[in-house]
Amino acid sequence: MGSYDMSDESPERRFRTLFISDVHLGARGSQADLLLDFLRYHDADTIYLVGDIVDGWALKSGWYWPQSHNDLVQKLLRKARKGAKIVYIPGNHDEFLRNYYGTHFGGIDVVENTVHTGADGRRYLVIHGDIFDLVVQNARWLAHLGDKAYDFAIQMNRFVNFFRRLFGVPYWSLSQWAKLKVKNAVNYIGAFEQALAAEARRHEANGVICGHIHYAVIRDEGDIRYMNCGDWVESCTALVEHDDGHFEIITWADQLQKAAPIVPVPARAA
């Protein structure tokens, strides 16, 4: 990422609000370096960290904390010192922080959930979403097993995309493809969205903003606007709110691919 030398003090784009989830710092699949690069180019008055920023499950099984993970934490703390309002809503992988609801550390507030009021006055429930995942809540052993299977899929994904890059083919996500193709997974996503929409109605909100299932989307679930931030393991997506109140999903891997020059593969000698 050395070609990006823009100063931290002059990001290219500034938003009213930035939502980031599922970074999984401490896990080998985390693409913290890409998120760090994204934050060099993007800033916001308010930043919501919508759960699973740190992966306590992965850290319990083996310590992994490269410099890029530390740099990302320092970057967020620096943004808080410069005046950004940062709200951290723990998820299931960083559930150890749920013991600290209501605390304030390094300029970051830790809360169970919150309601964000958009520029247009619409109210959005902000919550990680794992409490509506029946597997996480009722069969934690199965959730951990699924987590290991997901890690394996990520490793396979890296192998496949290494060769795709060699031939100038765009990034492709194995697990995202599986989620869209496997009927049970599609049904699971649909049920998750409906459950979150119902929770937003219970809070008398106009919409819900969540993470957890690593599937970024903006869509309407009846009268509720459902928005998922995605993740920084595969898709590298963030949800942003513009000054006029409209929301957008930014896929940073796509932006980098557009900006990067195409390097031809040298022909082999006959």
Side-chain angles (χ1 to χ4, degrees):
M1 311 314 298
S3 61
Y4 293 89
D5 56 1
M6 181 173 287
S7 167
D8 285 354
E9 283 69 39
S10 56
E12 185 176 280
R13 302 180 72 188
R14 186 175 187 88
F15 301 98
R16 184 174 187 267
T17 321
L18 170 63
F19 301 84
I20 296 166
S21 76
D22 297 273
V23 184
H24 291 273
L25 296 176
R28 295 184 183 277
S30 174
Q31 300 203 54
D33 53 340
L34 288 184
L35 177 54
L36 183 62
D37 195 66
F38 173 85
L39 291 174
R40 292 191 182 112
Y41 278 79
H42 302 81
D43 208 348
D45 300 328
T46 303
I47 300 174
Y48 289 95
L49 304 175
V50 194
D52 286 1
I53 305 302
V54 177
D55 195 327
W57 294 9
L59 290 172
K60 280 183 180 179
S61 63
W63 186 259
Y64 176 75
W65 197 268
Q67 186 60 44
S68 62
H69 293 202
N70 193 56
D71 290 345
L72 178 58
V73 172
Q74 293 301 318
K75 178 70 171 177
L76 290 169
L77 291 173
R78 190 157 59 247
K79 284 185 178 293
R81 289 196 300 269
K82 289 180 179 179
K85 177 183 178 182
I86 301 184
V87 181
Y88 195 142
I89 300 159
N92 52 305
H93 282 260
D94 45 17
E95 61 190 352
F96 58 91
L97 288 172
R98 289 176 169 168
N99 296 321
Y100 300 96
Y101 288 150
T103 61
H104 181 87
F105 64 92
I108 300 176
D109 294 310
V110 181
V111 300
E112 182 177 6
N113 58 63
T114 190
V115 173
H116 169 73
T117 302
D120 56 3
R122 292 169 63 85
R123 301 171 72 251
Y124 300 91
L125 173 65
V126 186
I127 186 171
H128 180 64
D130 62 288
I131 63 172
F132 299 97
D133 185 335
L134 293 178
V135 173
V136 170
Q137 294 302 310
N138 299 319
R140 290 181 64 86
W141 66 270
L142 185 57
H144 281 273
L145 180 62
D147 196 53
K148 294 296 183 184
Y150 181 73
D151 288 343
F152 176 75
I154 293 298
Q155 295 301 320
M156 290 297 296
N157 214 49
R158 287 181 173 180
F159 179 75
V160 170
N161 280 290
F162 171 78
F163 289 99
R164 290 176 70 88
R165 283 196 300 273
L166 287 180
F167 294 98
V169 182
Y171 178 85
W172 177 77
S173 170
L174 171 63
S175 69
Q176 292 287 351
W177 174 83
K179 286 176 185 176
L180 294 175
K181 294 297 182 182
V182 178
K183 184 176 183 295
N184 288 341
V186 173
N187 291 341
Y188 165 79
I189 292 173
F192 180 83
E193 293 175 351
Q194 291 169 14
L196 267 293
E199 182 68 3
R201 291 188 190 97
R202 194 175 71 81
H203 282 77
E204 298 182 346
N206 304 106
V208 60
I209 297 169
C210 60
H212 186 57
I213 60 172
H214 295 204
Y215 185 64
V217 70
I218 299 175
R219 74 179 200 85
D220 291 329
E221 179 64 42
D223 57 335
I224 297 294
R225 174 60 55 91
Y226 170 89
M227 294 183 279
N228 194 300
C229 308
D231 68 282
W232 288 86
V233 177
E234 296 177 83
S235 55
C236 297
T237 53
L239 178 70
V240 299
E241 181 195 12
H242 294 266
D243 288 336
D244 62 0
H246 89 270
F247 288 82
E248 174 190 2
I249 292 172
I250 297 177
T251 303
W252 189 233
D254 289 349
Q255 299 297 321
L256 289 178
Q257 189 164 22
K258 291 175 185 176
I262 297 175
V263 179
V265 179
R268 289 190 176 186

